[in-house]
Amino acid sequence: MIYVTGDMHGNISRFEDKRINRLKKGDYIIVCGDFGFIWDGGRVEEKTLAFMARQRYSILFVDGCHENFDRLYKYPMTDWNGGRARLIRPNVVHLCRGQVYELEGNKIFTMGGGCSADLDLRQQRGTKWWPEETPTTEEMAEGVDNLFRHNLEVDYIITHECPTKVKDLLIDQVDNFNALTAFFDEMSRQVKYKHWFFGSVHQDKHLSSAHTALFEHVVPLEVPKTVFGVTKPQQ
């Protein structure tokens, strides 16, 4: 089965969550951005990736705003389940921007990246920032091309950011609109899909039959029509 969760920010303790521990061989867990485990190339990072490689399930992720893109982009692109991806380890996969993958009979569109809301603060503190966090026009155009190849119809959408109208429900600020959220606004009008999962806002909230914000919860890709807070992986 396929499960989805939110930002991890390089926090290895997230893998101690019993909802992840019970995943079986052949299962997938998708992280909605800010994976954060590809960072400095140090000894701890290598041990962490070795730990992930030993797991019986596959760990998939879209990139977010807090990634070391210099290191992440050193991994070569390859064809993977119908789209382009980066294999960090055989079972640890970066799902690239604007791709459509086929997993367990599902078509899944992915678009990582975003626009850091804390950019000014990060620069004041001298924290490293990568302009690659924001998808380029070319990446969004590739996404459009791939969606048209699938007749503007997929089963699921996995992103880090979300449409403006959705973000307005979660964050009360005036600068929710940008080129990427505008792109997602148009996608939400033009593309037919069952459900859209995203991270970025650090909230766990099942907003509607079409949109779910994820942070620490782990939910099945096929979201049951139940109270969001009690959703657990099925045995």
Side-chain angles (χ1 to χ4, degrees):
M1 288 184 65
I2 304 171
Y3 301 92
V4 194
T5 192
D7 304 9
M8 288 188 165
H9 291 282
N11 181 5
I12 192 62
S13 68
R14 289 290 300 278
F15 288 94
E16 297 172 5
D17 189 313
K18 63 182 180 181
R19 294 167 295 189
I20 295 179
N21 274 332
R22 63 169 60 122
L23 299 186
K24 303 181 292 295
K25 182 177 180 180
D27 285 342
Y28 300 89
I29 184 162
I30 305 177
V31 181
C32 294
D34 284 352
F35 186 59
F37 291 102
I38 317 294
W39 196 258
D40 59 13
R43 187 175 179 181
V44 172
E45 180 176 302
E46 289 303 314
K47 287 180 65 176
T48 299
L49 294 175
F51 161 81
M52 293 181 186
R54 293 193 299 269
Q55 302 312 302
R56 56 191 178 273
Y57 53 87
S58 293
I59 302 161
L60 319 178
F61 68 96
V62 298
D63 54 88
C65 299
H66 297 82
E67 316 283 1
N68 183 333
F69 288 97
D70 292 337
R71 287 196 54 76
L72 181 59
Y73 286 177
K74 286 182 179 179
Y75 288 91
M77 299 269 276
T78 188
D79 293 323
W80 187 84
N81 286 51
R84 301 289 286 164
R86 292 182 174 89
L87 299 185
I88 311 303
R89 295 294 185 272
N91 67 324
V92 182
V93 183
H94 173 217
L95 304 177
C96 295
R97 298 171 180 178
Q99 305 299 302
V100 177
Y101 303 98
E102 298 193 16
L103 290 177
E104 297 186 354
N106 299 294
K107 292 182 180 179
I108 303 174
F109 176 83
T110 60
M111 178 63 80
C115 300
S116 291
D118 61 346
L119 176 57
D120 291 341
L121 181 61
R122 290 169 69 183
Q123 289 177 330
Q124 289 171 14
R125 292 177 175 174
T127 305
K128 178 67 174 175
W129 171 78
W130 286 266
E132 291 88 351
E133 71 172 30
T134 303
T136 64
T137 301
E138 291 75 17
E139 287 170 331
M140 288 187 277
E142 182 177 2
V144 171
D145 289 344
N146 285 328
L147 286 168
F148 269 103
R149 289 192 184 98
H150 291 273
N151 300 312
L152 294 179
E153 183 173 353
V154 294
D155 294 298
Y156 298 97
I157 297 175
I158 305 286
T159 62
H160 182 59
E161 266 290 0
C162 62
T164 310
K165 63 180 182 180
V166 176
K167 199 166 187 178
D168 285 343
L169 298 173
L170 296 165
I171 298 179
D172 184 19
Q173 61 185 47
V174 297
D175 58 348
N176 284 332
F177 183 84
N178 55 56
L180 181 57
T181 61
F183 174 74
F184 288 153
D185 288 343
E186 189 63 26
M187 271 185 55
S188 67
R189 288 189 288 266
Q190 299 288 337
V191 179
K192 183 178 180 180
Y193 58 94
K194 294 178 182 177
H195 208 82
W196 188 321
F197 297 91
F198 61 95
S200 82
V201 295
H202 290 190
Q203 296 184 45
D204 289 298
K205 187 168 290 188
H206 190 38
L207 293 163
S208 68
S209 61
H211 299 93
T212 295
L214 286 172
F215 185 31
E216 295 180 333
H217 272 281
V218 179
V219 302
L221 186 70
E222 297 183 9
V223 180
K225 296 184 183 302
T226 59
V227 177
F228 176 70
V230 299
T231 300
K232 294 181 180 179
Q234 304 298 311
Q235 293 298 306

